[in-house]
Amino acid sequence: MSAGTSIGGTRAVELAVGGMTCAACAARVERKLNKLDGVTARVNYATEKAAVEAPPGVGVDALIAEVERAGYRAELVEPGGPGAEPDDGQVRYLWRRLVVALLLGAPLADLSITMALVPSLRFPGWQWLLLAMTVPVATWCAWPFHRKALVNARHGTSSMDTLVSLGIIAASCWSVYTIFAHGEASAPTDGAWGLLLRPGGSVYLDVAAGVTTFVLAGRLFEAKAKHRAGGALRALAAIGAKDVAVLRDGREHRVPVAELRVDEHFVVRPGETIATDGEVLHGHCAVDASTMTGESAPVEVSPGDAVVGGTVALSGRVVVRATRVGADTQLAQLVRLVERAQTDKAGIQRLADRISGWFVPAVCGLAVLTFLAWWLLDAPAEEAFNAALAVLIIACPCALGLATPTALLAASGRGAQLGIFIKSHQALESARAIDTVVLDKTGTLTTGRMTVVDVRPAPGVDRATLLRHAGAVEDASEHVVARAVSDLARRELDELPAVADFTSLAGLGACGVVDGRAVLVGSARMLAECGVTVPDDLDEQRTRWEADGRTTVVVAVDDAVAGVLAVADAVKPSAARAVARLHRLGLRTALLTGDNEATARAVAAEVGIDDVLAEVLPADKAATIQELRERGRTVAMVGDGVNDAPALARADLGLAVVTGTDVALGAADLILVRDDLDVVPSAVSLARATLGTIRGNLVWAFGYNVAALPLAAFGLLNPLIGAGAMALSSLFVVTNSLRLRRFGAQPQAAG
């Protein structure tokens, strides 16, 4: 059995935990695991997983045994393997019991109300009929609660199931006692209002059945809601190809994807899913990356471009070299990161867990005190029992336990659909406090590729002729600037003539013969050394471009200047729009780069960034972030390169573009899958929406219990109404959380 991955001398192990029914259960498992020497565990009730860091001396079997001693089930989630699927068997298990509870409980409730409101309709033995209808509901249907309460009692603990089980048993036993002791006198006698608020009688069979039905319905809804909330991640994990056409010995062989190895070549045809991460060797095609990035527009790929497993080829046949397979693919790593994040706990969730841990025994104590207080005040025993029973039932902290994890689970799934992978839920809390967003330039704000951004032909020279001569010479060079010129020429002209007598002049440019004419392409300095003078108007344009931080290329044909080109690392099309959205969110923006001041300010002005931090050495980027924090700023850093990793780690919130290096991805809190800077404000908006949802959930959950408990203790709530209110409270919390699945990534108000 695998023991998980190694982290700094400890092993990171993930366990799927079964049998938990509330946040108190998760807190108990967590406490049990943390009692083992050197073990640090975090248990999440919503995902039913435990993230454990254990020293070498503590084996997986010992961890599982400790969970089982707490009264729960556990199994290892293998690294790189699929996460544990939600327990559909549990859904069916609850559904069968709920159906029986409804079939018996509905007529039981009708009959109880009829007997209470119309005493003349009572018939001999009506109590026994009620009892016969109640027994299956209070025993078989309620068995999940009784079983868990027994397990808790055996381990000297309690949970929400303890409250439910005690309430059902108490209501049933008191009713049986009343039937035997008082017979006909046991019916409520004060009409409908008394039935809702303070029933004067003492038969609570309808309460026992009603509590069972309401709580079963709530549990069933929770189980289905957790399944839906994680649906986006399960769909993402399942999009991979099942088989692949591998090229071996010059022939195609269709094999399962699991047999594909690194550096093997495979074929992708139109309509097929790309089997794994790789590099295109031959062919061109359009790729639908929407499943990974959420972008609807296809991406054109050609030889040398990277492709990601799980995306779909729309047109064209390509041959791809596998660069990563299995658990090492980008898709597998991202899904694994999010699954681990879902087991992580935000601080606000830990608070709710701690409250749930002591809430159950406190409620049991309050129920006893309520009964004693009414009894000492000479109230009838049935009224004292009614008040105590209402306290017991209405206080179940379902909503409290669900308030945070369901919102975080829904946010993770929706974020994955939008191209935002959340590595840590702590990042969601950090994002709300952010007031400054610092963006790296190269590869983050810009494309990271040199592109011709402006062309100025000399008088009497047309653009096509200029590009024909310049492109032919630069096509023979490997320099990044030359590649930018030749790429533009090929796009506009399709074909380029051959160049003769090509010579590369390192750091200056190149020369050659095109169509029988001598062509020089390079810097103004190179042309000056060759005796070629740049006309004043073109030289002024060149000077302005260079002042804006652009690289200039001068082209001369037969010793006469034919034109000037400006080359730059082009700003991403989405950059200005994303910066504007950040400003609407109330955030200040800053550009952080090692480039010169002129280039940095030109880029900042183009996209609307507020502050410029230029000529910052890679080693100083983290220190610059720290300086901003010391000035009272709460900083988010967006980057992609190795030199950005320290700054990403130092920032309050690190966001890494997925096209960046593994080091940057490892240092970040959020990973942005789409090559579109719009995901940056979307990530902040999602974080704010999630925190707002959690706050709303907790206010409701705390407020409900705070308001309901005194009413119940003073005898102003029927236990049956309390059970219904408890179920509706959980329903509100889960439904409110699931609204995040429809989050549209629209700008949220600052704050």
Side-chain angles (χ1 to χ4, degrees), residues 82-110:
E85 285 292 313
D87 191 352
D88 291 332
Q90 178 70 5
V91 172
R92 292 191 296 272
Y93 175 82
L94 293 172
W95 173 248
R96 287 194 299 268
R97 282 166 167 74
L98 177 60
V99 168
V100 173
L102 287 169
L103 290 175
L104 292 175
L108 172 63
D110 288 341

PDB file of all heavy atoms in Angstrom, residues 82-110:
ATOM      1  N   PRO A  82      -7.826   8.614  -9.079  1.00  0.00           N
ATOM      2  CA  PRO A  82      -9.041   9.413  -9.030  1.00  0.00           C
ATOM      3  C   PRO A  82      -9.497   9.607  -7.607  1.00  0.00           C
ATOM      4  O   PRO A  82      -9.298   8.759  -6.751  1.00  0.00           O
ATOM      5  CB  PRO A  82     -10.054   8.574  -9.832  1.00  0.00           C
ATOM      6  CG  PRO A  82      -9.565   7.168  -9.699  1.00  0.00           C
ATOM      7  CD  PRO A  82      -8.073   7.257  -9.631  1.00  0.00           C
ATOM      8  N   GLY A  83     -10.057  10.763  -7.322  1.00  0.00           N
ATOM      9  CA  GLY A  83     -10.581  10.998  -5.995  1.00  0.00           C
ATOM     10  C   GLY A  83     -11.764  10.105  -5.727  1.00  0.00           C
ATOM     11  O   GLY A  83     -12.407   9.575  -6.609  1.00  0.00           O
ATOM     12  N   ALA A  84     -12.038   9.923  -4.464  1.00  0.00           N
ATOM     13  CA  ALA A  84     -13.168   9.072  -4.092  1.00  0.00           C
ATOM     14  C   ALA A  84     -14.466   9.689  -4.586  1.00  0.00           C
ATOM     15  O   ALA A  84     -14.734  10.857  -4.415  1.00  0.00           O
ATOM     16  CB  ALA A  84     -13.210   8.910  -2.574  1.00  0.00           C
ATOM     17  N   GLU A  85     -15.267   8.884  -5.228  1.00  0.00           N
ATOM     18  CA  GLU A  85     -16.549   9.357  -5.729  1.00  0.00           C
ATOM     19  C   GLU A  85     -17.530   9.492  -4.567  1.00  0.00           C
ATOM     20  O   GLU A  85     -17.462   8.757  -3.592  1.00  0.00           O
ATOM     21  CB  GLU A  85     -17.108   8.367  -6.759  1.00  0.00           C
ATOM     22  CG  GLU A  85     -16.417   8.423  -8.092  1.00  0.00           C
ATOM     23  CD  GLU A  85     -16.681   9.735  -8.820  1.00  0.00           C
ATOM     24  OE1 GLU A  85     -17.846  10.165  -8.892  1.00  0.00           O
ATOM     25  OE2 GLU A  85     -15.712  10.335  -9.280  1.00  0.00           O
ATOM     26  N   PRO A  86     -18.442  10.427  -4.654  1.00  0.00           N
ATOM     27  CA  PRO A  86     -19.463  10.519  -3.625  1.00  0.00           C
ATOM     28  C   PRO A  86     -20.211   9.198  -3.519  1.00  0.00           C
ATOM     29  O   PRO A  86     -20.404   8.496  -4.506  1.00  0.00           O
ATOM     30  CB  PRO A  86     -20.374  11.645  -4.143  1.00  0.00           C
ATOM     31  CG  PRO A  86     -19.512  12.447  -5.059  1.00  0.00           C
ATOM     32  CD  PRO A  86     -18.546  11.472  -5.661  1.00  0.00           C
ATOM     33  N   ASP A  87     -20.647   8.891  -2.309  1.00  0.00           N
ATOM     34  CA  ASP A  87     -21.238   7.583  -2.058  1.00  0.00           C
ATOM     35  C   ASP A  87     -22.683   7.559  -2.549  1.00  0.00           C
ATOM     36  O   ASP A  87     -23.617   7.924  -1.837  1.00  0.00           O
ATOM     37  CB  ASP A  87     -21.171   7.287  -0.552  1.00  0.00           C
ATOM     38  CG  ASP A  87     -21.517   5.847  -0.252  1.00  0.00           C
ATOM     39  OD1 ASP A  87     -21.949   5.137  -1.175  1.00  0.00           O
ATOM     40  OD2 ASP A  87     -21.344   5.439   0.909  1.00  0.00           O
ATOM     41  N   ASP A  88     -22.908   7.125  -3.807  1.00  0.00           N
ATOM     42  CA  ASP A  88     -24.263   7.019  -4.337  1.00  0.00           C
ATOM     43  C   ASP A  88     -25.066   5.977  -3.572  1.00  0.00           C
ATOM     44  O   ASP A  88     -26.300   6.072  -3.488  1.00  0.00           O
ATOM     45  CB  ASP A  88     -24.217   6.670  -5.826  1.00  0.00           C
ATOM     46  CG  ASP A  88     -23.681   7.812  -6.650  1.00  0.00           C
ATOM     47  OD1 ASP A  88     -23.836   8.964  -6.225  1.00  0.00           O
ATOM     48  OD2 ASP A  88     -23.080   7.550  -7.711  1.00  0.00           O
ATOM     49  N   GLY A  89     -24.395   4.950  -3.020  1.00  0.00           N
ATOM     50  CA  GLY A  89     -25.085   3.957  -2.207  1.00  0.00           C
ATOM     51  C   GLY A  89     -25.711   4.599  -0.986  1.00  0.00           C
ATOM     52  O   GLY A  89     -26.810   4.218  -0.562  1.00  0.00           O
ATOM     53  N   GLN A  90     -25.049   5.580  -0.416  1.00  0.00           N
ATOM     54  CA  GLN A  90     -25.591   6.302   0.730  1.00  0.00           C
ATOM     55  C   GLN A  90     -26.851   7.074   0.331  1.00  0.00           C
ATOM     56  O   GLN A  90     -27.822   7.145   1.093  1.00  0.00           O
ATOM     57  CB  GLN A  90     -24.534   7.262   1.295  1.00  0.00           C
ATOM     58  CG  GLN A  90     -24.998   8.109   2.467  1.00  0.00           C
ATOM     59  CD  GLN A  90     -25.198   7.296   3.736  1.00  0.00           C
ATOM     60  OE1 GLN A  90     -24.910   6.110   3.779  1.00  0.00           O
ATOM     61  NE2 GLN A  90     -25.697   7.954   4.775  1.00  0.00           N
ATOM     62  N   VAL A  91     -26.850   7.647  -0.866  1.00  0.00           N
ATOM     63  CA  VAL A  91     -28.037   8.356  -1.348  1.00  0.00           C
ATOM     64  C   VAL A  91     -29.212   7.392  -1.454  1.00  0.00           C
ATOM     65  O   VAL A  91     -30.329   7.695  -1.016  1.00  0.00           O
ATOM     66  CB  VAL A  91     -27.751   9.026  -2.710  1.00  0.00           C
ATOM     67  CG1 VAL A  91     -29.035   9.604  -3.301  1.00  0.00           C
ATOM     68  CG2 VAL A  91     -26.696  10.121  -2.553  1.00  0.00           C
ATOM     69  N   ARG A  92     -28.971   6.226  -2.040  1.00  0.00           N
ATOM     70  CA  ARG A  92     -30.051   5.234  -2.155  1.00  0.00           C
ATOM     71  C   ARG A  92     -30.501   4.745  -0.782  1.00  0.00           C
ATOM     72  O   ARG A  92     -31.693   4.528  -0.545  1.00  0.00           O
ATOM     73  CB  ARG A  92     -29.579   4.052  -3.006  1.00  0.00           C
ATOM     74  CG  ARG A  92     -29.353   4.408  -4.467  1.00  0.00           C
ATOM     75  CD  ARG A  92     -29.149   3.161  -5.299  1.00  0.00           C
ATOM     76  NE  ARG A  92     -27.950   2.430  -4.919  1.00  0.00           N
ATOM     77  CZ  ARG A  92     -26.745   2.670  -5.433  1.00  0.00           C
ATOM     78  NH1 ARG A  92     -26.585   3.613  -6.339  1.00  0.00           N
ATOM     79  NH2 ARG A  92     -25.699   1.959  -5.048  1.00  0.00           N
ATOM     80  N   TYR A  93     -29.545   4.557   0.112  1.00  0.00           N
ATOM     81  CA  TYR A  93     -29.824   4.116   1.482  1.00  0.00           C
ATOM     82  C   TYR A  93     -30.772   5.103   2.179  1.00  0.00           C
ATOM     83  O   TYR A  93     -31.762   4.711   2.809  1.00  0.00           O
ATOM     84  CB  TYR A  93     -28.488   4.018   2.223  1.00  0.00           C
ATOM     85  CG  TYR A  93     -28.533   3.680   3.689  1.00  0.00           C
ATOM     86  CD1 TYR A  93     -28.670   2.363   4.115  1.00  0.00           C
ATOM     87  CD2 TYR A  93     -28.383   4.676   4.657  1.00  0.00           C
ATOM     88  CE1 TYR A  93     -28.671   2.050   5.471  1.00  0.00           C
ATOM     89  CE2 TYR A  93     -28.387   4.380   6.001  1.00  0.00           C
ATOM     90  CZ  TYR A  93     -28.528   3.057   6.407  1.00  0.00           C
ATOM     91  OH  TYR A  93     -28.528   2.753   7.743  1.00  0.00           O
ATOM     92  N   LEU A  94     -30.478   6.390   2.054  1.00  0.00           N
ATOM     93  CA  LEU A  94     -31.325   7.407   2.673  1.00  0.00           C
ATOM     94  C   LEU A  94     -32.665   7.520   1.960  1.00  0.00           C
ATOM     95  O   LEU A  94     -33.704   7.723   2.597  1.00  0.00           O
ATOM     96  CB  LEU A  94     -30.601   8.760   2.652  1.00  0.00           C
ATOM     97  CG  LEU A  94     -29.349   8.876   3.527  1.00  0.00           C
ATOM     98  CD1 LEU A  94     -28.631  10.183   3.254  1.00  0.00           C
ATOM     99  CD2 LEU A  94     -29.702   8.764   5.012  1.00  0.00           C
ATOM    100  N   TRP A  95     -32.638   7.394   0.633  1.00  0.00           N
ATOM    101  CA  TRP A  95     -33.871   7.541  -0.138  1.00  0.00           C
ATOM    102  C   TRP A  95     -34.905   6.476   0.227  1.00  0.00           C
ATOM    103  O   TRP A  95     -36.084   6.776   0.386  1.00  0.00           O
ATOM    104  CB  TRP A  95     -33.543   7.490  -1.625  1.00  0.00           C
ATOM    105  CG  TRP A  95     -34.765   7.466  -2.505  1.00  0.00           C
ATOM    106  CD1 TRP A  95     -35.213   6.446  -3.286  1.00  0.00           C
ATOM    107  CD2 TRP A  95     -35.713   8.523  -2.683  1.00  0.00           C
ATOM    108  NE1 TRP A  95     -36.362   6.789  -3.942  1.00  0.00           N
ATOM    109  CE2 TRP A  95     -36.707   8.070  -3.584  1.00  0.00           C
ATOM    110  CE3 TRP A  95     -35.834   9.811  -2.153  1.00  0.00           C
ATOM    111  CZ2 TRP A  95     -37.780   8.853  -3.978  1.00  0.00           C
ATOM    112  CZ3 TRP A  95     -36.916  10.601  -2.540  1.00  0.00           C
ATOM    113  CH2 TRP A  95     -37.868  10.114  -3.452  1.00  0.00           C
ATOM    114  N   ARG A  96     -34.469   5.215   0.377  1.00  0.00           N
ATOM    115  CA  ARG A  96     -35.395   4.139   0.732  1.00  0.00           C
ATOM    116  C   ARG A  96     -36.064   4.434   2.071  1.00  0.00           C
ATOM    117  O   ARG A  96     -37.286   4.267   2.223  1.00  0.00           O
ATOM    118  CB  ARG A  96     -34.656   2.795   0.789  1.00  0.00           C
ATOM    119  CG  ARG A  96     -34.264   2.233  -0.561  1.00  0.00           C
ATOM    120  CD  ARG A  96     -33.855   0.784  -0.438  1.00  0.00           C
ATOM    121  NE  ARG A  96     -32.697   0.606   0.431  1.00  0.00           N
ATOM    122  CZ  ARG A  96     -31.432   0.593   0.017  1.00  0.00           C
ATOM    123  NH1 ARG A  96     -31.176   0.762  -1.279  1.00  0.00           N
ATOM    124  NH2 ARG A  96     -30.437   0.412   0.857  1.00  0.00           N
ATOM    125  N   ARG A  97     -35.282   4.872   3.026  1.00  0.00           N
ATOM    126  CA  ARG A  97     -35.839   5.164   4.348  1.00  0.00           C
ATOM    127  C   ARG A  97     -36.752   6.390   4.320  1.00  0.00           C
ATOM    128  O   ARG A  97     -37.771   6.446   5.016  1.00  0.00           O
ATOM    129  CB  ARG A  97     -34.699   5.341   5.354  1.00  0.00           C
ATOM    130  CG  ARG A  97     -34.124   4.003   5.798  1.00  0.00           C
ATOM    131  CD  ARG A  97     -32.792   4.142   6.515  1.00  0.00           C
ATOM    132  NE  ARG A  97     -32.446   2.888   7.168  1.00  0.00           N
ATOM    133  CZ  ARG A  97     -32.022   1.786   6.534  1.00  0.00           C
ATOM    134  NH1 ARG A  97     -31.915   1.801   5.212  1.00  0.00           N
ATOM    135  NH2 ARG A  97     -31.727   0.690   7.212  1.00  0.00           N
ATOM    136  N   LEU A  98     -36.406   7.364   3.503  1.00  0.00           N
ATOM    137  CA  LEU A  98     -37.248   8.554   3.411  1.00  0.00           C
ATOM    138  C   LEU A  98     -38.601   8.219   2.784  1.00  0.00           C
ATOM    139  O   LEU A  98     -39.644   8.729   3.222  1.00  0.00           O
ATOM    140  CB  LEU A  98     -36.536   9.635   2.590  1.00  0.00           C
ATOM    141  CG  LEU A  98     -37.331  10.922   2.358  1.00  0.00           C
ATOM    142  CD1 LEU A  98     -37.690  11.581   3.687  1.00  0.00           C
ATOM    143  CD2 LEU A  98     -36.543  11.888   1.478  1.00  0.00           C
ATOM    144  N   VAL A  99     -38.613   7.360   1.778  1.00  0.00           N
ATOM    145  CA  VAL A  99     -39.872   6.976   1.133  1.00  0.00           C
ATOM    146  C   VAL A  99     -40.806   6.313   2.143  1.00  0.00           C
ATOM    147  O   VAL A  99     -42.000   6.644   2.222  1.00  0.00           O
ATOM    148  CB  VAL A  99     -39.608   6.045  -0.071  1.00  0.00           C
ATOM    149  CG1 VAL A  99     -40.908   5.414  -0.559  1.00  0.00           C
ATOM    150  CG2 VAL A  99     -38.938   6.812  -1.202  1.00  0.00           C
ATOM    151  N   VAL A 100     -40.274   5.380   2.919  1.00  0.00           N
ATOM    152  CA  VAL A 100     -41.095   4.706   3.930  1.00  0.00           C
ATOM    153  C   VAL A 100     -41.584   5.710   4.971  1.00  0.00           C
ATOM    154  O   VAL A 100     -42.756   5.686   5.388  1.00  0.00           O
ATOM    155  CB  VAL A 100     -40.304   3.562   4.592  1.00  0.00           C
ATOM    156  CG1 VAL A 100     -41.099   2.967   5.756  1.00  0.00           C
ATOM    157  CG2 VAL A 100     -39.963   2.493   3.571  1.00  0.00           C
ATOM    158  N   ALA A 101     -40.689   6.626   5.388  1.00  0.00           N
ATOM    159  CA  ALA A 101     -41.077   7.627   6.385  1.00  0.00           C
ATOM    160  C   ALA A 101     -42.194   8.524   5.856  1.00  0.00           C
ATOM    161  O   ALA A 101     -43.122   8.883   6.593  1.00  0.00           O
ATOM    162  CB  ALA A 101     -39.863   8.466   6.773  1.00  0.00           C
ATOM    163  N   LEU A 102     -42.129   8.873   4.573  1.00  0.00           N
ATOM    164  CA  LEU A 102     -43.176   9.709   3.981  1.00  0.00           C
ATOM    165  C   LEU A 102     -44.493   8.948   3.856  1.00  0.00           C
ATOM    166  O   LEU A 102     -45.569   9.487   4.147  1.00  0.00           O
ATOM    167  CB  LEU A 102     -42.727  10.205   2.599  1.00  0.00           C
ATOM    168  CG  LEU A 102     -41.646  11.292   2.589  1.00  0.00           C
ATOM    169  CD1 LEU A 102     -41.115  11.501   1.177  1.00  0.00           C
ATOM    170  CD2 LEU A 102     -42.201  12.605   3.143  1.00  0.00           C
ATOM    171  N   LEU A 103     -44.411   7.692   3.416  1.00  0.00           N
ATOM    172  CA  LEU A 103     -45.631   6.896   3.228  1.00  0.00           C
ATOM    173  C   LEU A 103     -46.369   6.681   4.539  1.00  0.00           C
ATOM    174  O   LEU A 103     -47.607   6.651   4.580  1.00  0.00           O
ATOM    175  CB  LEU A 103     -45.285   5.548   2.584  1.00  0.00           C
ATOM    176  CG  LEU A 103     -44.825   5.603   1.119  1.00  0.00           C
ATOM    177  CD1 LEU A 103     -44.406   4.219   0.639  1.00  0.00           C
ATOM    178  CD2 LEU A 103     -45.939   6.155   0.235  1.00  0.00           C
ATOM    179  N   LEU A 104     -45.631   6.503   5.630  1.00  0.00           N
ATOM    180  CA  LEU A 104     -46.270   6.299   6.929  1.00  0.00           C
ATOM    181  C   LEU A 104     -46.461   7.610   7.687  1.00  0.00           C
ATOM    182  O   LEU A 104     -47.451   7.776   8.408  1.00  0.00           O
ATOM    183  CB  LEU A 104     -45.425   5.340   7.770  1.00  0.00           C
ATOM    184  CG  LEU A 104     -45.355   3.891   7.270  1.00  0.00           C
ATOM    185  CD1 LEU A 104     -44.382   3.076   8.117  1.00  0.00           C
ATOM    186  CD2 LEU A 104     -46.746   3.243   7.301  1.00  0.00           C
ATOM    187  N   GLY A 105     -45.521   8.531   7.525  1.00  0.00           N
ATOM    188  CA  GLY A 105     -45.562   9.767   8.299  1.00  0.00           C
ATOM    189  C   GLY A 105     -46.661  10.716   7.877  1.00  0.00           C
ATOM    190  O   GLY A 105     -47.269  11.400   8.724  1.00  0.00           O
ATOM    191  N   ALA A 106     -46.936  10.788   6.573  1.00  0.00           N
ATOM    192  CA  ALA A 106     -47.974  11.719   6.100  1.00  0.00           C
ATOM    193  C   ALA A 106     -49.355  11.345   6.649  1.00  0.00           C
ATOM    194  O   ALA A 106     -50.043  12.190   7.251  1.00  0.00           O
ATOM    195  CB  ALA A 106     -47.977  11.764   4.571  1.00  0.00           C
ATOM    196  N   PRO A 107     -49.805  10.083   6.488  1.00  0.00           N
ATOM    197  CA  PRO A 107     -51.112   9.742   7.087  1.00  0.00           C
ATOM    198  C   PRO A 107     -51.085   9.805   8.607  1.00  0.00           C
ATOM    199  O   PRO A 107     -52.112  10.114   9.236  1.00  0.00           O
ATOM    200  CB  PRO A 107     -51.364   8.311   6.593  1.00  0.00           C
ATOM    201  CG  PRO A 107     -50.040   7.792   6.135  1.00  0.00           C
ATOM    202  CD  PRO A 107     -49.265   8.970   5.687  1.00  0.00           C
ATOM    203  N   LEU A 108     -49.943   9.519   9.206  1.00  0.00           N
ATOM    204  CA  LEU A 108     -49.822   9.618  10.661  1.00  0.00           C
ATOM    205  C   LEU A 108     -50.064  11.054  11.113  1.00  0.00           C
ATOM    206  O   LEU A 108     -50.795  11.306  12.087  1.00  0.00           O
ATOM    207  CB  LEU A 108     -48.435   9.145  11.094  1.00  0.00           C
ATOM    208  CG  LEU A 108     -48.062   9.354  12.568  1.00  0.00           C
ATOM    209  CD1 LEU A 108     -48.995   8.560  13.464  1.00  0.00           C
ATOM    210  CD2 LEU A 108     -46.613   8.949  12.815  1.00  0.00           C
ATOM    211  N   ALA A 109     -49.465  12.015  10.392  1.00  0.00           N
ATOM    212  CA  ALA A 109     -49.650  13.424  10.749  1.00  0.00           C
ATOM    213  C   ALA A 109     -51.104  13.840  10.557  1.00  0.00           C
ATOM    214  O   ALA A 109     -51.690  14.535  11.406  1.00  0.00           O
ATOM    215  CB  ALA A 109     -48.723  14.295   9.902  1.00  0.00           C
ATOM    216  N   ASP A 110     -51.714  13.409   9.436  1.00  0.00           N
ATOM    217  CA  ASP A 110     -53.121  13.753   9.187  1.00  0.00           C
ATOM    218  C   ASP A 110     -54.024  13.198  10.283  1.00  0.00           C
ATOM    219  O   ASP A 110     -54.922  13.890  10.797  1.00  0.00           O
ATOM    220  CB  ASP A 110     -53.563  13.195   7.828  1.00  0.00           C
ATOM    221  CG  ASP A 110     -52.958  13.961   6.669  1.00  0.00           C
ATOM    222  OD1 ASP A 110     -52.514  15.105   6.889  1.00  0.00           O
ATOM    223  OD2 ASP A 110     -52.922  13.411   5.550  1.00  0.00           O
TER     224      ASP A 110
END
